[in-house]
């Protein structure tokens, strides 16, 4: 439930703010990756990518614990515990001079931040359902996506004036403000009838129930493939624009322009989803995702990188499709899991992230002198996703009725 004095707008912005701590911790450090890599003795750009993918790994692992626990102890306590872990992790990142310890710190940051990320989705699911839930989640994601518009520019400003460690310090301060707002304004949303007595078997029973819901599993796998392909971009963006195109000083602005594209497309999704439905929008977006990838590979797969203007154009089209997918896949997966929203959200996030990290690391290893491997990765992930989607789309309504 919402605070009786809390408007829907404040609820949406607060949920987005909880998720934005995650985005800020990922995107603000992007311009500083070479500097941080030098400080901790990294072996180069490919190694620096791990500072991004590792936090995603932590996000996946952490959700697996916080989600089920929130079904017993409530959403709010888990948010506080997760942020405490984030504080410890940030201290490790600020003080270490070791590459391995930095990876540990980033993984722990991910584990800690998995709590507000997962709980924000569970809180939305507690409060809304169906296409209305998809609309709310789309607006939440759109607001959350606005953070990458400013995060790299903010990170570059902080690094140039106060050093790279100030990026982590700023993230901590921002997170504390959000925690205070959350504590003051957000009521507990876990319904008493859904509250489960905590016991170790709750993980087993919740997991068994999750895997019985075929649409939830399929959409989770689908989400993992799309997240993995997009994660390749996040982990290689600095290398593509600063190394391959030698546009280091313009990197934050290019990154911001692409984030704006995702934000606008996500807003459009929120406006269209009530009219056309989640599944129809996913179908169109996925076909576009595959078509754009195939077009790029045909045109530039054997001729080297195109001009920066052409590349940005392809990225904008591709990420518009991604925005429609992100805006609906999580809602589709969560739709039949209202009775296990906590562990359902956790398993959805864990499986999709555990899939995404190796996908990103594998494809990212090929993005050295050309952007083509990135679009090949998009294409392959898109085709597999299409097969998964069509395997249930014709029967999904019948399956949902029988759950």
């Amino acid at each position: 439930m919402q605070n009786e004095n809390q408007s829907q707008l404040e609820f949406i912005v607060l949920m987005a703010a909880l998720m934005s701590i995650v985005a800020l911790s990922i995107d603000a450090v992007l311009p500083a990756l070479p500097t941080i890599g030098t400080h901790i003795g990294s072996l180069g750009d490919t190694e620096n990518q791990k500072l991004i993918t590792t936090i995603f790994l932590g996000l996946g692992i952490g959700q697996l614990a916080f989600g089920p626990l929130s079904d017993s102890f409530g959403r709010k306590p888990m948010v506080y515990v997760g942020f405490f872990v984030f504080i410890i992790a940030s201290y490790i990142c600020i003080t270490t001079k070791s590459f391995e310890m930095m990876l540990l710190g980033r993984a722990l940051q991910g584990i800690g931040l998995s709590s507000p990320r997962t709980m924000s989705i569970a809180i939305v699911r507690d409060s809304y359902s169906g296409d209305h839930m998809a609309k709310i989640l789309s607006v939440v994601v759109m607001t959350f996506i606005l953070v990458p518009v400013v995060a790299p520019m903010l990170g570059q400003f902080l690094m140039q004036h106060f050093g790279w460690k100030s990026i982590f310090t700023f993230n901590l301060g921002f997170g504390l403000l959000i925690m205070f707002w959350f504590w003051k304004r957000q009521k507990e949303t876990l319904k008493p009838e859904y509250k489960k007595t905590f016991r170790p078997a709750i993980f087993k029973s919740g997991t068994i129930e999750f895997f019985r819901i075929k649409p939830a599993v399929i959409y989770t796998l689908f989400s993992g493939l799309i997240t993995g392909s997009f994660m390749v971009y996040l982990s290689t963006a600095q290398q593509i624009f600063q190394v391959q195109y030698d546009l280091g000083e313009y990197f934050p602005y290019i990154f911001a322009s692409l984030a704006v594209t995702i934000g606008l497309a996500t807003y459009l999704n929120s406006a269209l989803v009530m009219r056309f439905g989640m599944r129809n929008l996913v179908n169109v977006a996925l076909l576009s995702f595959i078509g754009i990838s195939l077009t790029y590979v045909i045109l530039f797969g054997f001729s080297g990188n195109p001009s920066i203007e052409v590349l940005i154009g392809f990225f904008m089209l591709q990420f518009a499709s991604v925005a429609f997918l992100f805006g609906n896949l999580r809602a589709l997966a969560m739709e039949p899991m209202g009775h296990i929203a906590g562990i359902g959200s956790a398993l959805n996030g864990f499986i999709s992230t555990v899939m995404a990290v190796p996908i990103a690391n594998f494809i990212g290893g090929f993005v050295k002198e050309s952007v083509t491997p990135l679009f090949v990765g998009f294409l392959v992930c898109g085709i597999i996703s299409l097969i998964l989607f069509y395997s249930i789309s014709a029967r999904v309504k019948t399956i949902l009725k029988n759950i």
Side-chain angles (χ1 to χ4, degrees), residues 81-365:
V81 172
F83 192 73
F84 180 72
V85 174
F86 175 68
I87 292 174
I88 296 173
S90 298
Y91 176 78
I92 293 174
C93 292
I94 292 171
T95 57
T96 188
K97 292 184 178 180
S98 162
F99 179 72
E100 290 76 16
M101 285 300 294
M102 178 62 81
L103 291 183
L104 174 63
R106 292 292 278 174
L108 286 174
Q109 278 192 323
I111 290 172
L113 292 177
S114 68
S115 177
R117 182 180 186 235
T118 306
M119 292 307 100
S120 63
I121 295 168
I123 289 170
V124 172
R125 180 60 187 89
D126 290 340
S127 307
Y128 300 94
S129 62
D131 285 337
H132 197 188
M133 173 185 64
K135 180 177 181 178
I136 295 295
L137 274 177
S138 289
V139 178
V140 168
V141 171
M142 179 198 68
T143 310
F144 155 71
I145 284 170
L146 293 177
V147 174
V149 174
V150 298
M153 288 183 280
L154 174 64
Q156 185 160 291
F157 173 83
L158 291 171
M159 179 181 66
Q160 290 175 347
H161 291 83
F162 307 104
W164 65 266
K165 293 182 181 181
S166 64
I167 299 173
F168 291 91
T169 305
F170 179 90
N171 290 346
L172 268 177
F174 176 76
L176 285 170
L177 289 175
I178 300 304
M179 286 301 107
F180 178 78
W181 181 18
F182 179 76
W183 167 73
K184 196 74 175 174
R185 299 289 294 169
Q186 181 61 51
K187 287 188 175 182
E188 178 59 57
T189 60
L190 178 62
K191 296 178 176 63
E193 61 268 28
Y194 287 159
K195 194 168 187 177
K196 297 174 173 56
T197 302
F198 176 75
R199 59 188 190 281
I202 197 172
F203 293 90
K204 179 181 178 181
S205 60
T207 301
I208 291 173
E209 178 67 13
F210 172 84
F211 282 104
R212 283 176 177 168
I213 307 173
K214 186 175 179 180
V217 175
I218 294 297
Y219 286 123
T220 296
L221 297 176
F222 187 167
S223 180
L225 290 162
I226 301 302
T227 302
S229 59
F230 184 69
M231 197 185 296
V232 181
Y233 164 73
L234 286 179
S235 62
T236 61
Q238 177 269 331
Q239 186 176 346
I240 290 170
F241 296 120
Q242 291 190 352
V243 178
Q244 292 188 23
Y245 280 88
D246 194 24
L247 296 170
E249 60 184 299
Y250 299 106
F251 167 62
Y253 306 102
I254 296 171
F255 194 88
S257 68
L258 293 172
V260 168
T261 300
I262 298 175
L264 291 174
T266 305
Y267 174 76
L268 182 60
N269 177 75
S270 70
L272 295 177
V273 69
M274 297 294 288
R275 179 177 179 183
F276 296 104
M278 294 180 279
R279 292 174 187 83
N280 290 329
L281 292 180
V282 166
N283 185 43
V284 173
L286 183 55
L287 291 173
S288 298
F289 182 83
I290 294 171
I292 294 163
S293 304
L294 181 61
T295 301
Y296 183 94
V297 172
I298 292 172
L299 292 178
F300 306 108
F302 303 98
S303 59
N305 286 345
S307 68
I308 187 62
E309 294 82 7
V310 171
L311 179 65
I312 291 175
F314 269 92
F315 274 150
M316 284 183 170
L317 292 172
Q318 192 70 304
F319 296 156
S321 300
V322 168
F324 275 89
L325 294 171
F326 280 168
N328 294 297
L329 285 178
R330 181 61 69 95
L332 283 168
M334 292 299 297
E335 185 179 22
M337 296 194 291
H339 58 304
I340 54 166
I343 192 168
S345 177
L347 286 168
N348 174 272
F350 171 75
I351 294 171
S352 60
T353 305
V354 167
M355 286 178 62
V357 170
I359 289 172
N361 282 333
F362 177 74
I363 299 174

Side-chain angles (χ1 to χ4, degrees), residues 332-395:
L332 283 168
M334 292 299 297
E335 185 179 22
M337 296 194 291
H339 58 304
I340 54 166
I343 192 168
S345 177
L347 286 168
N348 174 272
F350 171 75
I351 294 171
S352 60
T353 305
V354 167
M355 286 178 62
V357 170
I359 289 172
N361 282 333
F362 177 74
I363 299 174
F366 293 95
V367 184
K368 296 177 180 178
E369 299 179 356
S370 170
V371 186
T372 296
L374 177 58
F375 280 89
V376 172
F378 287 158
L379 180 61
V380 173
C381 290
I383 291 173
I384 297 173
S385 297
L386 189 68
I387 295 171
L388 289 173
F389 181 59
Y390 284 173
S391 73
I392 63 165
S393 59
R395 298 171 293 161

